Amino acid sequence: MNRISRLKYTGVIAGVGLAVVVFSSGVYANTDLKETEEETEIEVFSLDLSENVSANSLDWNIQSMPEEIDDQKEPENDAALSAGAGDVLVDVETDTEDDTESSGSDNMPEATEDSTEPESAQMQDESGLSAGVGAVFAQADEEPGDSAVQAENIEPQQETESEKHWGYTNLGIAHVDNHLNIREEPNENGKLIGKLSKDAACEILEIDENGWAHIKSGKVEGYCSTEFLYLGDEAVARGHEVASMIAIVNTQTLKVRGEPNTESIVITLIPQEEELEVVEVMENGWIKFLLDDEEAYVSGDYVDVEERLEKAVTLTELKYGQGVSDVRVDMVQYAKQFVGNPYVWGGTSLTNGTDCSGFTMSIYRKYGVSLPHHAASQAQLGTKVDISSAQPGDLVFYAKNGSINHVAMYIGNGQVIHASSPKTGIKISSWNYRTPACIRRYLSN
């Protein structure tokens, strides 16, 4: 009995001694698990209780177990190291196996979408080390960790700007067969200030209770009825169908050539910021585009190519009594109502389709002037004038290789109206969107 009592007393002392060693080595207080596992070797004392050893001469054997510590990185195994100081460590292996079986995935904290895997592993390791020192690590759990900092960093990223399509936040697209009128006020009697051609785009600024949209497109800001607009997802889907590649001239004056090389003859010159309708971006870096109803080429080094939707055109209204004859004012207003109508080669219909000379011929016919259906022939008639003295209603002619091949009507303020191409139909352009060959006058002032 005395020997057994001494053995129990010796076990208690051994347990207390182990606790002192563990605390002094910093295992409980050290939250850097990686450093503890790699650099610290925990010494475990075992008692040799063989019958050949007397109670007064117990043999203390020191066993170093670095390999077991390296392998035991799960929280359950770490928890086994923190057995109470009054327990003898003879049954460590048995206790460890029991803990491993009872500490399954159901007892592990579930990972959330906000947590990263390294943080979860770190939390599990720290919780394993906290066995027997719950009060200390319970306080640590309450302190903000890396995941809290990350949550603060993620939250502002969720407040992103509205998605933009072709530069528009709230896209609207003209749902018409030819053109949509843009008015100065939200009613049918408002002054006409611009037009959206078929499938041209606008930014929807606001929609009133009567279904009139306040829009902005290009240089035009005004109102149109939502009855004739694609809106929301429908507008985006339509945009993907009709968007086209545009080349924007980024040099002061760009040479246009008949073939994609610098040896080819120069057809005309195009000013800076003019937009060209791209047909193809060629392998040699040249851009094939539509110059009215014919294909031409420019060097890709002097244009910026991007996907675009058509924009509204400004309708600068001429007013009676401001130095322009009433017949000229009336002619321009009449011509502008056909913007957006189709281009048809050889056609003369202002509504169903016309080509460039058919357009000017039909406009002039209304005012008693007979012109041939041929641009070069029209250029032989009338009186030649220069641009500084051009009047609304005068015709502006353009050439290719020295021969007249296109005609437009001047409408004032540096603009012309013309039947341009099958893609754009009747449109308004700058008078020098390509180099004019001559200007002719057919009406007396």
Side-chain angles (χ1 to χ4, degrees):
M1 293 294 292
N2 292 334
R3 181 180 179 182
I4 294 175
S5 298
R6 285 195 299 272
L7 288 175
K8 289 182 176 181
Y9 180 73
T10 302
V12 171
I13 294 175
V16 172
L18 176 61
V20 171
V21 170
V22 172
F23 272 107
S24 63
S25 65
V27 172
Y28 282 95
N30 188 358
T31 59
D32 189 351
L33 178 61
K34 183 177 180 181
E35 180 181 354
T36 302
E37 292 175 351
E38 293 179 353
E39 298 180 1
T40 305
E41 294 185 356
I42 300 177
E43 298 178 344
V44 179
F45 297 95
S46 64
L47 297 178
D48 186 353
L49 299 181
S50 62
E51 295 181 356
N52 296 328
V53 180
S54 63
N56 294 329
S57 60
L58 292 174
D59 183 13
W60 296 84
N61 296 322
I62 300 177
Q63 297 179 351
S64 178
M65 303 173 61
E67 294 181 0
E68 292 182 348
I69 296 301
D70 289 340
D71 293 338
Q72 295 174 358
K73 295 184 179 180
E74 293 296 326
E76 298 84 1
N77 295 336
D78 291 336
L81 291 176
S82 62
D87 297 332
V88 181
L89 298 182
V90 175
D91 296 328
V92 167
E93 293 183 1
T94 303
D95 293 341
T96 301
E97 293 174 357
D98 294 340
D99 289 343
T100 303
E101 293 176 358
S102 63
S103 301
S105 60
D106 291 342
N107 295 330
M108 298 298 290
E110 295 184 1
T112 65
E113 293 181 356
D114 293 335
S115 301
T116 61
E117 183 178 351
E119 290 173 351
S120 300
Q122 185 178 1
M123 293 290 288
Q124 293 171 15
D125 291 342
E126 290 177 351
S127 64
L129 289 173
S130 66
V133 208
V136 176
F137 285 91
Q139 181 178 359
D141 290 341
E142 294 175 0
E143 296 177 0
D146 292 340
S147 60
V149 175
Q150 289 186 4
E152 292 179 8
N153 293 336
I154 292 174
E155 185 174 357
Q157 297 176 2
Q158 297 174 351
E159 300 177 1
T160 57
E161 295 182 1
S162 300
E163 185 176 2
K164 290 190 175 183
H165 302 279
W166 302 280
Y168 298 93
T169 301
N170 192 5
L171 177 66
I173 293 182
H175 187 187
V176 291
D177 292 331
N178 41 52
H179 60 264
L180 175 59
N181 292 330
I182 303 174
R183 300 187 180 275
E184 194 172 52
E185 298 175 355
N187 59 70
E188 294 180 356
N189 297 322
K191 185 174 72 172
L192 187 64
I193 59 174
K195 288 191 176 186
L196 280 173
S197 60
K198 180 181 179 180
D199 295 322
C202 65
E203 181 73 31
I204 307 293
L205 303 177
E206 187 180 4
I207 299 177
D208 68 16
E209 57 185 8
N210 297 319
W212 281 82
H214 183 194
I215 69 168
K216 185 172 183 180
S217 179
K219 298 179 180 180
V220 184
E221 182 174 343
Y223 298 86
C224 65
S225 174
T226 56
E227 181 182 355
F228 305 106
L229 287 174
Y230 291 104
L231 300 173
D233 293 340
E234 194 176 14
V236 174
R238 183 62 178 175
H240 284 296
E241 294 177 5
V242 301
S244 59
M245 299 302 295
I246 298 295
I248 305 169
V249 179
N250 60 23
T251 188
Q252 186 172 1
T253 303
L254 180 59
K255 295 177 181 179
V256 178
R257 299 182 183 271
E259 298 295 334
N261 58 72
T262 55
E263 285 73 32
S264 177
I265 189 172
V266 175
I267 297 174
T268 188
L269 302 177
I270 294 181
Q272 191 168 13
E273 297 185 0
E274 192 68 34
E275 297 182 359
L276 315 178
E277 304 165 36
V278 175
V279 174
E280 180 185 357
V281 178
M282 308 187 70
E283 292 183 358
N284 62 357
W286 283 70
I287 306 297
K288 180 193 293 186
F289 74 103
L290 284 178
L291 182 65
D292 293 318
D293 59 345
E294 297 184 355
E295 293 180 348
Y297 302 86
V298 294
S299 171
D301 294 336
Y302 306 105
V303 295
D304 298 318
V305 179
E306 60 183 63
E307 190 178 61
R308 280 275 192 95
L309 293 170
E310 292 290 331
K311 299 177 182 178
V313 294
T314 303
L315 297 183
T316 305
E317 291 195 8
L318 293 173
K319 296 182 179 180
Y320 296 99
Q322 292 187 340
V324 179
S325 66
D326 290 352
V327 67
R328 290 182 179 274
V329 173
D330 191 70
M331 176 182 282
V332 169
Q333 291 179 341
Y334 175 69
K336 288 193 297 186
Q337 68 179 300
F338 303 110
V339 169
N341 285 356
Y343 174 99
V344 174
W345 188 87
T348 59
S349 173
L350 297 174
T351 54
N352 298 324
T354 181
D355 60 14
C356 64
S357 60
F359 175 74
T360 54
M361 181 187 73
S362 298
I363 295 295
Y364 266 87
R365 179 190 299 152
K366 177 177 173 61
Y367 295 90
V369 178
S370 178
L371 295 176
H373 189 188
H374 186 244
S377 297
Q378 291 179 5
Q380 300 300 315
L381 304 175
T383 303
K384 183 177 180 180
V385 297
D386 57 41
I387 187 60
S388 62
S389 59
Q391 293 287 316
D394 293 344
L395 297 187
V396 182
F397 294 90
Y398 304 88
K400 177 182 180 181
N401 299 333
S403 300
I404 300 296
N405 71 335
H406 192 70
V407 60
M409 189 174 80
Y410 186 67
I411 60 174
N413 297 303
Q415 294 181 313
V416 294
I417 185 170
H418 58 135
S420 177
S421 71
K423 182 177 181 180
T424 63
I426 299 172
K427 63 182 290 188
I428 293 176
S429 304
S430 300
W431 73 276
N432 63 341
Y433 75 97
R434 55 188 287 193
T435 306
C438 65
I439 301 175
R440 311 292 290 190
R441 177 169 296 164
Y442 307 89
L443 296 175
S444 62
N445 291 332

